[in-house]
Amino acid sequence: MDDDRPAGVCAVIDLERGDGALELHGPLDTARFHRALHRIAELRPGPRPPTPRLLRHTADLHTVELPPDGGTSEPCPAGLLADLLTAAPGPEDHGRAGAGTAAGPAGLPCGTLPRTHPVTPLQRQRLTAALDRPGHQNEQVVWRWYGPLDTVRFEAAWQAVGARESVLRTAFVWDPRPRAVVFDHTSTEVTRHPHGTVIRRAALLARERVRPFDLRRPGAVRVALLDSGPTDTAAPFTDVVVTYHRALLDTWSVRLLMRQCCRAYLADGVLAGGERRPDLGDCARWIGDRDLAPAGGSRRTPARLPARPGVPRPGPAGSGGTGVLRTALSPLRSAHLTHWAARWGTTESSALQAVWAMLLYRASGAAPGPATVGFGLDVPGRGLLLEGIEGVPGPFETALPVTVTVDAARGLPDLVRELRDQALDMAACEWGTGQEPASAAHAGGGAGGLLAFDCGPRPEAAHGEELAAHGIRLEEQEAAGAPAGYALRLRAGHDARRRLVLTCAYDRDLVADGAARTLLAHTARLLRRLPAVAEGTAVGDVLACLPAADTPGVPDGPVTRDAAPLLPLRGASAPAAATVCLLDVPGAPRTGHWELVRHYRGPEELTALRLTAGDQDAQATALGTLARSRGRLVLGGYAGTGALACELARQVTGHGVRPPLVVIGGACDDPDGPRSLADALRRASVKAS
């Protein structure tokens, strides 16, 4: 490792001193330091703490004096200050005044201060799920664009949408808990793929679906364009694939954004008006000010169902990933289903729920006796009493549990009406739960999967005539993604030809391809059969139309795996050496840890703390055990972990444990980041010894 090369600013925080002294190593811009203090005052609303003083000793070593506060609270969050000063320099730090690419405590470029707002309970849950299974929070909506498509104009339209919709400029910081930050500017990724550059649309969809989002940076949506081939000369088209992260958007929201994109495209890439209000931040604050429990409680609180025998467990070895299957009812059959549902005072959504309940009942093996089945139901989640909520992009779609008793002798219309009544009951508190089940086990059924029926604004309906005047026609093709924490997710919706399209996304680690194909085929067969059902038709009579082969069940969805919080990286090379525990930057890869092991020559033992293993209490317990058994502890991390490291250090301190040193290096995705952290650890080794 070449220590003569400048490694950037790195920080050492000594919590053993009463003022929480902060040492900064490396070149530091004084103006940036004072801007960081201003950001902290904004990020920490309330009485302004005493102002720290910067004491300059040498060109590469600076000491920050934090005035004492009498022991009541931290006068200035030293960890947050370290995060801001070790982040990668931004345009303002290079002398370009007025730049708006601000950064926060997550290792983002440093510029003007972004706005902050709390996250909703649903967002907090999805962020936790994203850390454990990143790809299972990515979803897609696909449109087919017939006619000319100007890439430059289309990209300008998306940038105009980003300027209007703050959700596209939102990222997350951990301070130490997740908080949303809204930046002044962002750039939505738009990539065009001419015909022949990818094998087929399915390959592009799969590739975009598995690409991770860096939640520390704005831009939780990206757009891919795929041109049609020469065989489609009769009606050339371009597939528009919009991939998004569920921590910031849902299907309803993506349709809103695409509608805004069409509007901007028609206006040469410009959107009139300013930023939308209310926005996601207003909604998060509205939810945070209210009791999330529904008034009087829910009248239909489902109980967990007993496990059913014979449910298939994980699929064949090596079959992991997300599988996607699709089928459709013809326009005529779809119209017949709509009329049949209206005859009983219900909708196609209730009909789909009834069909799914019957399949779960058949898979249970309880026929002809009664059995209670359960599954999750996706709801829009826009029941907030907030003006304009229908037009606010955000992650409001959530899953609620549905349970129902099915009997072979029960009339099918009666079953459909009961499911309709349940949906009406849940509509009054769909936003009040604040959470969604982590797996089907919490959906009231233990193994019921998740159902979704698409609704919401359609861009082709809002701007279809204006686009047609330019020789353009827009059609939504599909909305699909991961199973969203369930083993299987079945989504239904109408396409441009009024066909009812069924899309089945399933976890191949839990559901075999053949089982998913059978379930989808049985669902379509029963939906085609429903228009012939009369008032006296029983559930058993309808199920008789299925083949004699057994109907496969749906196992529990994936749950967070309990992994050991501490991951050993390298043993100590000296008996009395300290232990260095590296903290993960949420959402960032761990490759920087192994680069540090490769370059760092110090005698300390190196280990890493898995932030996905549990909450802060579990992490502090693991660190406390480590500190008591190994001696002096050093908490190390890259830019973005300072606030979290200081919070954990305070929890560890006590009962004979000295306050750990906190050492913060550069950004983890910076090629020089591991070397910067190694340099900070080398400088702090004398203090720890």
Side-chain angles (χ1 to χ4, degrees):
M1 182 178 64
D2 186 3
D3 289 333
D4 295 331
R5 295 171 52 196
V9 181
C10 48
V12 178
I13 306 171
D14 186 0
L15 296 177
E16 194 165 12
R17 291 179 53 176
D19 56 1
L22 174 63
E23 288 185 359
L24 299 170
H25 303 268
L28 175 66
D29 184 355
T30 307
R32 183 180 183 185
F33 172 78
H34 290 291
R35 285 199 304 271
L37 296 183
H38 172 70
R39 293 189 198 102
I40 291 173
E42 295 291 335
L43 287 169
R44 299 283 189 174
R48 185 180 294 274
T51 303
R53 291 193 302 143
L54 178 62
L55 306 178
R56 182 178 294 273
H57 290 286
T58 66
D60 292 325
L61 175 61
H62 319 278
T63 301
V64 179
E65 183 183 73
L66 307 181
D69 65 337
T72 57
S73 63
E74 184 184 11
C76 176
L80 186 54
L81 179 60
D83 286 336
L84 292 168
L85 295 176
T86 56
E92 257 191 32
D93 299 295
H94 293 295
R96 287 180 282 181
T101 55
L108 297 173
C110 183
T112 57
L113 174 70
R115 303 195 310 271
T116 68
H117 63 79
V119 299
T120 65
L122 184 59
Q123 282 183 292
R124 190 176 301 113
Q125 181 183 4
R126 288 177 178 173
L127 288 171
T128 302
L131 290 173
D132 188 58
R133 299 173 67 92
H136 280 243
Q137 296 297 320
N138 297 350
E139 296 198 358
Q140 296 170 319
V141 182
V142 183
W143 284 271
R144 181 155 290 180
W145 183 291
Y146 292 94
L149 176 59
D150 185 337
T151 307
V152 174
R153 191 176 183 181
F154 187 80
E155 186 171 359
W158 269 104
Q159 308 317 325
V161 175
R164 176 174 173 80
E165 305 291 354
S166 61
V167 69
L168 294 183
R169 308 192 307 275
T170 299
F172 298 97
V173 296
W174 279 255
D175 177 27
R177 300 188 182 279
R179 183 199 308 261
V181 291
V182 182
F183 297 87
D184 292 333
H185 302 282
T186 189
S187 179
T188 300
E189 177 186 329
V190 179
T191 307
R192 189 160 192 169
H193 302 276
H195 176 71
T197 56
V198 295
I199 301 175
R200 59 187 186 279
R201 186 175 78 168
L204 176 63
L205 291 175
R207 189 172 72 186
E208 289 296 314
R209 200 161 47 235
V210 299
R211 280 182 58 197
F213 285 100
D214 187 349
L215 299 177
R216 302 167 299 145
R217 290 171 169 78
V221 64
R222 55 176 175 261
V223 184
L225 307 175
L226 178 62
D227 294 330
S228 60
T231 58
D232 302 304
T233 53
F237 59 84
T238 300
D239 284 329
V240 181
V241 181
V242 180
T243 308
Y244 62 95
H245 198 282
R246 298 178 70 239
L248 282 171
L249 295 168
D250 55 22
T251 308
W252 181 303
S253 302
V254 172
R255 293 192 177 111
L256 283 173
L257 297 177
M258 189 63 182
R259 187 169 65 178
Q260 293 292 330
C261 175
C262 292
R263 177 184 163 196
Y265 186 88
L266 292 167
D268 294 325
V270 177
L271 273 179
E275 186 175 284
R276 175 187 300 280
R277 297 304 292 267
D279 61 3
L280 179 57
D282 297 316
C283 298
R285 285 184 284 268
W286 187 92
I287 293 175
D289 292 339
R290 282 155 178 81
D291 183 5
L292 296 181
S298 174
R299 292 196 295 119
R300 298 180 182 271
T301 303
R304 178 176 172 86
L305 300 178
R308 298 193 298 268
V311 174
R313 297 312 299 170
S319 64
T322 299
V324 179
L325 299 173
R326 190 168 292 104
T327 190
L329 274 64
S330 67
L332 182 59
R333 290 187 179 274
S334 300
H336 287 168
L337 179 63
T338 302
H339 295 152
W340 179 85
R343 175 184 174 187
W344 308 111
T346 65
T347 63
E348 296 152 287
S349 176
S350 298
L352 177 64
Q353 295 174 49
V355 164
W356 193 251
M358 288 192 295
L359 289 177
L360 295 178
Y361 169 70
R362 190 174 196 251
S364 70
T372 302
V373 298
F375 51 88
L377 179 64
D378 254 344
V379 293
R382 293 177 181 267
L384 283 71
L385 300 178
L386 187 64
E387 184 178 359
I389 184 61
E390 297 84 2
V392 178
F396 301 106
E397 184 180 88
T398 186
L400 294 178
V402 175
T403 55
V404 65
T405 300
V406 184
D407 192 323
R410 183 177 185 179
L412 178 55
D414 178 60
L415 175 63
V416 174
R417 285 189 287 259
E418 180 181 346
L419 290 167
R420 173 204 61 191
D421 294 342
Q422 284 203 46
L424 291 174
D425 283 349
M426 292 188 298
C429 58
E430 61 183 27
W431 66 270
T433 60
Q435 297 188 31
E436 62 184 354
S439 72
H442 298 89
L450 178 66
L451 297 186
F453 206 99
D454 285 337
C455 58
R458 295 294 182 114
E460 56 269 35
H463 300 285
E465 295 182 0
E466 298 172 83
L467 291 171
H470 293 77
I472 300 171
R473 180 166 53 92
L474 189 66
E475 292 183 359
E476 182 173 323
Q477 294 288 298
E478 60 190 82
Y486 288 75
L488 182 145
R489 183 182 192 182
L490 182 64
R491 181 183 290 274
H494 291 282
D495 64 6
R497 291 185 285 169
R498 299 305 301 167
R499 301 184 307 166
L500 183 64
V501 180
L502 303 176
T503 304
C504 177
Y506 57 98
D507 189 337
R508 281 178 159 165
D509 287 330
L510 298 168
V511 179
D513 293 337
R517 194 174 296 110
T518 299
L519 284 169
L520 184 61
H522 285 184
T523 302
R525 182 189 290 264
L526 290 180
L527 288 174
R528 296 186 183 100
R529 174 80 172 81
L530 287 189
V533 171
E535 177 66 46
T537 306
V539 168
D541 297 333
V542 179
L543 289 175
C545 73
L546 295 178
D550 291 339
T551 299
V554 183
D556 290 354
V559 296
T560 301
R561 292 175 294 275
D562 294 328
L566 296 174
L567 173 66
L569 299 176
R570 191 194 69 185
S573 59
T579 298
V580 176
C581 183
L582 304 175
L583 305 181
D584 290 317
V585 175
R590 297 189 176 101
T591 54
H593 294 343
W594 302 110
E595 286 295 312
L596 178 68
V597 173
R598 187 166 65 91
H599 290 294
Y600 184 56
R601 306 300 183 189
E604 295 85 2
E605 175 187 356
L606 298 181
T607 186
L609 177 67
R610 302 176 187 265
L611 296 182
T612 60
D615 58 13
Q616 284 182 298
D617 293 337
Q619 296 161 15
T621 300
L623 288 178
T625 303
L626 184 66
R628 286 188 294 272
S629 61
R630 308 289 176 84
R632 188 67 192 269
L633 179 65
V634 177
L635 297 183
Y638 297 100
T641 60
L644 178 60
C646 287
E647 180 68 22
L648 289 172
R650 289 190 186 88
Q651 296 183 37
V652 169
T653 303
H655 304 292
V657 177
R658 296 172 60 188
L661 278 177
V662 176
V663 180
I664 306 299
C668 67
D669 49 3
D670 185 343
D672 289 333
R675 186 176 52 81
S676 173
L677 180 57
D679 184 63
L681 290 171
R682 179 180 58 81
R683 294 173 184 266
S685 60
V686 176
K687 289 180 173 292
S689 60

